[in-house]
Amino acid sequence: VSLQALPDDLETPCVVVDRATMDANIERLQSALDARGIRNRPHAKTHKSVRIGRLQVDAGAAGLTVGTLGEAEVFAAGGITDLFIAYPLWFSGSKGERLRALTEVADLRVGVDSVEGATTLAAAVKGVARPPRALVEVDSGGHRTGVEDPALVVEIARAVSNAGLEVEGVFTHGGHAYALGAAEAAAADETTALAQAAEALRRAGFEPRTISSGTTPTRLLAGTPVNEVRAGTYVFGDRQQVSLGAAAEDEVALVVAATVVSVHLGRFVIDAGAKSLTKDRPEHLAGYGLMPAYPDVVIDRLSDYHGTCVVPNGGPAPRLGEVVAIVPNHVCPVVDLFDELTVVSAGGGTERWPVDARGRSR
Amino acid sequence: VSLQALPDDLETPCVVVDRATMDANIERLQSALDARGIRNRPHAKTHKSVRIGRLQVDAGAAGLTVGTLGEAEVFAAGGITDLFIAYPLWFSGSKGERLRALTEVADLRVGVDSVEGATTLAAAVKGVARPPRALVEVDSGGHRTGVEDPALVVEIARAVSNAGLEVEGVFTHGGHAYALGAAEAAAADETTALAQAAEALRRAGFEPRTISSGTTPTRLLAGTPVNEVRAGTYVFGDRQQVSLGAAAEDEVALVVAATVVSVHLGRFVIDAGAKSLTKDRPEHLAGYGLMPAYPDVVIDRLSDYHGTCVVPNGGPAPRLGEVVAIVPNHVCPVVDLFDELTVVSAGGGTERWPVDARGRSR
């Protein structure tokens, strides 16, 4: 982690991004996918930043993936208009109205995983000049949204088509990649499930142009016929990705900076609690983040504004008033808690970049 | 829970507050503390709303408790100027400057739990017209911030006094009340620890005017000499408080509203994930919140925007597109994720109230 030497005069808690590391992450994935002939459509829910989205697009990304209508609105307003809402949103009432308005400024693709969702989507955008194209979500083993049965993929595609919208293709998210040693099998599951769904669509007379998979752990493991990848977390990395082998330690581009406010025998307290680090903790990790400068310290308990840290017997610990860097367990919900990122350039200068889509969860 | 009948046309995920229930919570605690002759200083980190803080003060609260300088700034700007920052902040650099500025508009009390923290605080406000008064934090068994040894309380008080600030008293937070059956013992610990600290201060020549305890589970259990209570969560209640017996089910005044976006055999997915419900889950509770209308459903997994819910065998489940109410496990970090609250009045009308201090974690 390159962020152990934090800038002076940080007001904590805050989020600090190392620009050179982030740029390298963006470039590395783009090059790798370019070499494979796979389109890169990064998930913007991780950074929620128009400026970082622009860096990804300038590096060669086809557009961005988002998880909510609000994120799509923010990025479209920021000039990034090729957007995929990779989520089976329910577009009734005012959400349907917002989607209609968004079609006027953005080139949209939207996920669907049910016949009813497809007809609700189509009703919301009936008559617009540039309707969204639909991608049917496939459950490749994550067992969240999406459908498993290729026959159901076809049924949903027919509903999309009958309602007057174009079927763009299929997508999946192999969420079961988020466990130790699971990435290769999950990537194979993504590829297999997408291949079966795409083949079923072809047999039914559809031509799936986009076959889209993606998680950060599986981003480099997609096989034919996958032609689009939607990784998000790779842009910053986090403790979970490192633990899964999906990011190297020196690829982590973001830390939370916190100040030690209280020191006791065997423990100390930092001013980053659940409202800064979140209580996200994968089962295989101890504590709520990693301090690279004090790797044996366990961030053991979080209250809203307190992080209570346990110091192993005789181990080194920071002093009262010291500012420490913390690699969060899962970076996405952490960034969503902050209005801005402190971005440190290679020369040591700092800029504040807004988290434009902070809190846009609907 | 009175919020099972949600207003129509909610855009989800959003936070819905039942005004009558919240008003009753505010009134009930105020009356109970008035009857005991104990000052009420509610913790505003739960609601982060100037308007709700005003309701608490109008009902008789002496002022508000906050956990960060940013919260203090927001409430002072909103006209609530009697504020206690119940946290041993480290006031170096620009945080010291912000504190100085705040003393011009607010009547401040600030927590300290170390000699160095006391001298840093005093240096930051040197020469201001209305310096903050200090309360020494006592560890009554929560083992977070605060000191256990009464002799150390005296040493810190002397440092405060020698640095030119007034010692207002002592405070504690019995965080160990947050376990099943623990409230009575934790309240007794709070009272005992505060009594010992106050007595040590008196013997050393100080006159502790404020002796302040408080958590929602212990808010009605404080004994002599406690003369101030700082509960926060009581204003809304949450699933954890109900499970601990610290709130009745019909005292829960806040729910997260979410839409069912995907339905599968044995499970369904709502559009409220970790960025809406948080991953806060006390060990004794299953899942990430409770659906009062479907009490057997377990909100089993959260990703950023997905809540994957498990339906027990043959049990009832909501339909696709249905809007469901969820009582969050821990309400404080949930409110911090939203920019506004949808407040429903007894007549059924709705208003949007801003979460003024949303994200003010520093």
Side-chain angles (χ1 to χ4, degrees):
Chain A
V1 182
S2 56
L3 283 164
Q4 288 194 39
L6 292 169
D8 291 335
D9 296 328
L10 290 173
E11 262 193 51
T12 61
C14 61
V15 171
V16 181
V17 174
D18 184 75
R19 176 70 193 269
T21 306
M22 175 179 70
D23 284 352
N25 290 345
I26 291 171
E27 181 53 44
R28 190 182 317 107
L29 180 61
Q30 187 65 50
S31 302
L33 294 179
D34 285 350
R36 289 163 170 79
I38 293 178
R39 204 161 50 216
N40 183 23
R41 185 179 287 277
H43 207 309
K45 69 172 181 165
T46 302
H47 55 68
K48 289 177 169 274
S49 154
V50 170
R51 198 153 162 191
I52 297 175
R54 176 58 61 198
L55 291 176
Q56 292 171 317
V57 170
D58 288 349
L64 295 180
T65 303
V66 296
T68 70
L69 191 50
E71 286 180 348
E73 289 166 339
V74 165
F75 285 98
I80 302 175
T81 57
D82 190 333
L83 297 170
F84 174 28
I85 306 176
Y87 192 102
L89 284 173
W90 189 257
F91 288 108
S92 63
S94 52
K95 252 187 202 171
E97 291 163 27
R98 287 169 57 200
L99 181 67
R100 283 183 76 85
L102 188 59
T103 65
E104 294 175 19
V105 293
D107 180 23
L108 293 177
R109 301 145 80 209
V110 175
V112 292
D113 86 339
S114 66
V115 168
E116 300 90 327
T119 53
T120 305
L121 165 65
V125 294
K126 194 173 173 61
V128 302
R130 189 168 50 167
R133 301 183 302 287
L135 281 86
V136 182
E137 183 166 6
V138 175
D139 178 3
S140 55
H143 303 321
R144 194 176 65 177
T145 44
V147 297
E148 285 182 272
D149 183 357
L152 191 47
V153 172
V154 171
E155 186 184 333
I156 295 167
R158 287 200 175 114
V160 167
S161 188
N162 289 340
L165 297 181
E166 187 184 329
V167 177
E168 162 89 18
V170 287
F171 77 109
T172 195
H173 169 76
H176 53 313
Y178 280 84
L180 289 173
E184 290 201 16
D189 290 344
E190 287 183 309
T191 298
T192 302
L194 287 173
Q196 290 174 349
E199 181 55 27
L201 283 181
R202 281 198 195 91
R203 280 200 301 265
F206 293 96
E207 186 41 57
R209 292 200 308 256
T210 296
I211 299 171
S212 176
S213 76
T215 72
T216 288
T218 64
R219 69 196 185 281
L220 299 176
L221 305 172
T224 308
V226 173
N227 62 14
E228 178 179 282
V229 159
R230 310 182 318 279
T233 312
Y234 83 97
V235 70
F236 296 138
D238 58 23
R239 187 181 181 213
Q240 177 172 236
Q241 298 295 343
V242 172
S243 74
L244 296 175
E249 283 186 29
D250 64 3
E251 291 169 9
V252 173
L254 180 150
V255 294
V256 173
T259 300
V260 176
V261 297
S262 183
V263 174
H264 305 273
L265 191 64
R267 76 173 195 272
F268 63 94
V269 176
I270 54 177
D271 63 359
K275 287 176 177 172
S276 300
L277 293 171
T278 82
K279 285 205 173 170
D280 203 308
R281 192 182 63 72
E283 280 182 18
H284 64 278
L285 294 175
Y288 296 100
L290 173 76
M291 289 183 197
Y294 304 96
D296 295 330
V297 164
V298 177
I299 306 174
D300 189 49
R301 284 181 291 146
L302 299 181
S303 10
D304 284 5
Y305 303 122
H306 302 73
T308 303
C309 305
V310 175
V311 184
N313 275 342
R319 68 178 190 286
L320 195 59
E322 183 169 334
V323 176
V324 292
I326 301 152
V327 179
N329 284 346
H330 180 199
V331 71
C332 305
V334 168
V335 169
D336 192 44
L337 292 169
F338 290 87
D339 290 320
E340 61 185 24
L341 310 170
T342 297
V343 179
V344 185
S345 67
T350 62
E351 294 183 317
R352 292 180 170 191
W353 293 16
V355 182
D356 306 279
R358 202 280 320 148
R360 299 299 299 264
S361 294
R362 60 172 173 262
Chain B
V1 184
S2 55
L3 282 164
Q4 289 194 38
L6 292 169
D8 291 335
D9 297 327
L10 290 173
E11 262 194 50
T12 62
C14 61
V15 171
V16 181
V17 174
D18 184 75
R19 175 70 192 269
T21 305
M22 175 179 70
D23 284 352
N25 291 345
I26 291 171
E27 180 53 44
R28 191 183 317 106
L29 179 61
Q30 188 65 51
S31 301
L33 294 179
D34 285 349
R36 289 162 170 79
I38 293 177
R39 204 161 50 216
N40 183 24
R41 185 179 288 277
H43 208 308
K45 69 172 181 167
T46 304
H47 56 69
K48 289 176 168 275
S49 153
V50 170
R51 199 153 161 191
I52 296 176
R54 175 58 61 197
L55 291 176
Q56 291 171 317
V57 170
D58 288 349
L64 295 180
T65 303
V66 296
T68 70
L69 192 51
E71 287 181 347
E73 289 166 337
V74 166
F75 284 98
I80 301 176
T81 57
D82 190 334
L83 297 169
F84 174 29
I85 305 175
Y87 191 102
L89 285 174
W90 190 258
F91 288 108
S92 63
S94 52
K95 252 187 203 172
E97 290 163 26
R98 287 168 60 199
L99 182 67
R100 283 182 76 85
L102 189 59
T103 65
E104 294 175 19
V105 293
D107 181 23
L108 292 177
R109 301 146 82 209
V110 176
V112 293
D113 86 340
S114 66
V115 167
E116 300 90 328
T119 53
T120 305
L121 165 65
V125 294
K126 193 171 173 64
V128 303
R130 190 167 49 167
R133 300 183 303 288
L135 281 86
V136 182
E137 184 166 5
V138 175
D139 178 1
S140 54
H143 303 321
R144 194 175 64 177
T145 44
V147 297
E148 286 182 272
D149 183 356
L152 191 48
V153 172
V154 170
E155 186 184 332
I156 295 167
R158 287 199 176 115
V160 167
S161 188
N162 289 341
L165 297 181
E166 187 183 328
V167 177
E168 162 88 18
V170 287
F171 77 108
T172 196
H173 169 75
H176 53 313
Y178 280 83
L180 289 173
E184 290 201 17
D189 290 344
E190 287 183 309
T191 298
T192 302
L194 288 173
Q196 291 173 349
E199 180 55 28
L201 284 180
R202 279 197 197 92
R203 279 201 301 264
F206 293 95
E207 185 42 55
R209 292 200 308 256
T210 296
I211 300 170
S212 176
S213 76
T215 73
T216 288
T218 63
R219 69 195 185 282
L220 299 176
L221 304 173
T224 307
V226 174
N227 62 14
E228 178 179 282
V229 159
R230 309 183 319 279
T233 313
Y234 83 98
V235 70
F236 295 138
D238 59 23
R239 187 182 181 213
Q240 176 172 237
Q241 298 295 343
V242 171
S243 74
L244 296 175
E249 283 186 28
D250 63 2
E251 291 169 9
V252 173
L254 181 151
V255 293
V256 172
T259 300
V260 177
V261 297
S262 183
V263 173
H264 305 273
L265 192 65
R267 74 173 196 271
F268 62 94
V269 176
I270 53 177
D271 64 359
K275 287 177 178 171
S276 299
L277 292 171
T278 83
K279 285 205 172 170
D280 203 308
R281 192 182 62 72
E283 280 182 17
H284 64 279
L285 294 175
Y288 296 100
L290 173 77
M291 290 184 195
Y294 303 96
D296 295 331
V297 165
V298 177
I299 306 174
D300 189 48
R301 284 181 292 147
L302 298 182
S303 11
D304 284 6
Y305 302 122
H306 302 73
T308 303
C309 305
V310 175
V311 184
N313 275 343
R319 69 180 190 285
L320 195 58
E322 183 170 334
V323 176
V324 292
I326 300 151
V327 179
N329 284 346
H330 180 199
V331 71
C332 305
V334 168
V335 169
D336 192 44
L337 292 169
F338 290 87
D339 289 321
E340 61 186 23
L341 310 170
T342 298
V343 180
V344 185
S345 67
T350 61
E351 295 182 317
R352 291 180 171 192
W353 293 15
V355 182
D356 306 278
R358 203 279 320 148
R360 298 300 299 265
S361 294
R362 61 173 170 260

